Amino acid sequence: MTRTVTALTIAGSDPSGGAGIQADLKAMSANGAYAMSVITALTAQSTRGVTGVHAVPLDFVRLQLDTVLADIRPGATKIGMLATAELAALVAEYLPTLENTVLDPVMVATSGARLIAEEAVDALCKELVPRADLITPNIPEAEVIAAMDIKNTADMEYAAAKIYANYGTSV
C-alpha cells in the first residue's frame, strides 16, 4: 500500500503563478505530494510587480484552516505571506497541531514591493519564527530577523546562527 504524502501551504495568491500559493502547489505536486492550500491574501501582481494586496478576513482564514484540517492532516506545512499581524497571530495558533512546518517569512516581493504591514514583521518574529521547525529567509528577510546587515557569506552564516540562538529555529 502506498502512503500519500500530504502538504499544506498557507500563503498569499500570486495570479501570475510565480510565487505564493500557485508556486507552492506546483512544487508540492511536482514532488508527489497531495497539495492543499489556505489563502491568506490576494495580490494583484505580475512579473512586472505588485499593484495591490488584499488580506483575506481573519474569520475566513480560520474557516479555511478548520475545514481542511478537520478532513486531511498535512504531513508538512509551508507558511508564506501573512500580510497582517493578526494573520500571523492566527496562523501561529495552529502551529502546535502541525508537523514539519516551514516558514518562508515573506516580507517584500522580488520586484521590491512591500507585501506585509510593518507591524506584521514584529508579529512574524514573535509569533511564528520561534514556533516553526525551519525558516527560509532570503537575505533581506534574514537581515530584518537577525537585526543586522548581510554583506557576504560569513555574514549569512552569522545571521543564521544568530537567528537560531535568538529563536531556537533552524534556518
Side-chain angles (χ1 to χ4, degrees):
M1 179 175 174
T2 304
R3 181 175 175 263
T4 301
V5 175
T6 56
L8 171 65
T9 175
I10 304 169
S13 174
D14 171 3
S16 71
I21 291 284
Q22 289 82 349
D24 293 346
L25 293 173
K26 287 189 254 184
M28 291 170 175
S29 295
N31 284 286
Y34 179 83
M36 304 170 289
S37 64
V38 169
I39 298 175
T40 61
L42 304 174
T43 67
Q45 78 183 78
S46 68
T47 59
R48 296 180 183 160
V50 178
T51 57
V53 175
H54 174 71
V56 173
L58 292 176
D59 60 339
F60 198 75
V61 173
R62 183 179 300 280
L63 183 60
Q64 290 178 81
L65 282 161
D66 289 345
T67 302
V68 75
L69 294 174
D71 184 33
I72 305 168
R73 297 304 301 175
T77 301
K78 191 253 184 187
I79 302 164
M81 180 186 170
L82 301 171
T84 67
E86 294 81 12
L87 277 168
L90 172 66
V91 171
E93 290 177 29
Y94 288 84
L95 282 186
T97 67
L98 300 171
E99 298 175 17
N100 304 309
T101 56
V102 177
L103 172 64
D104 178 5
V106 176
M107 297 178 190
V108 178
T110 304
S111 65
R114 185 166 201 69
L115 292 173
I116 67 173
E118 189 64 39
E119 64 273 6
V121 173
D122 190 47
L124 193 77
C125 290
K126 287 182 181 172
E127 302 279 345
L128 290 167
V129 171
R131 295 180 182 169
D133 293 314
L134 172 70
I135 66 167
T136 59
N138 60 27
I139 290 173
E141 294 159 352
E143 287 179 326
V144 170
I145 297 167
M148 62 176 279
D149 290 332
I150 298 173
K151 304 287 185 212
N152 53 45
T153 303
D155 289 346
M156 287 183 227
E157 292 171 358
Y158 181 71
K162 186 175 177 183
I163 292 167
Y164 180 78
N166 290 343
Y167 298 101
T169 302
S170 296
V171 182

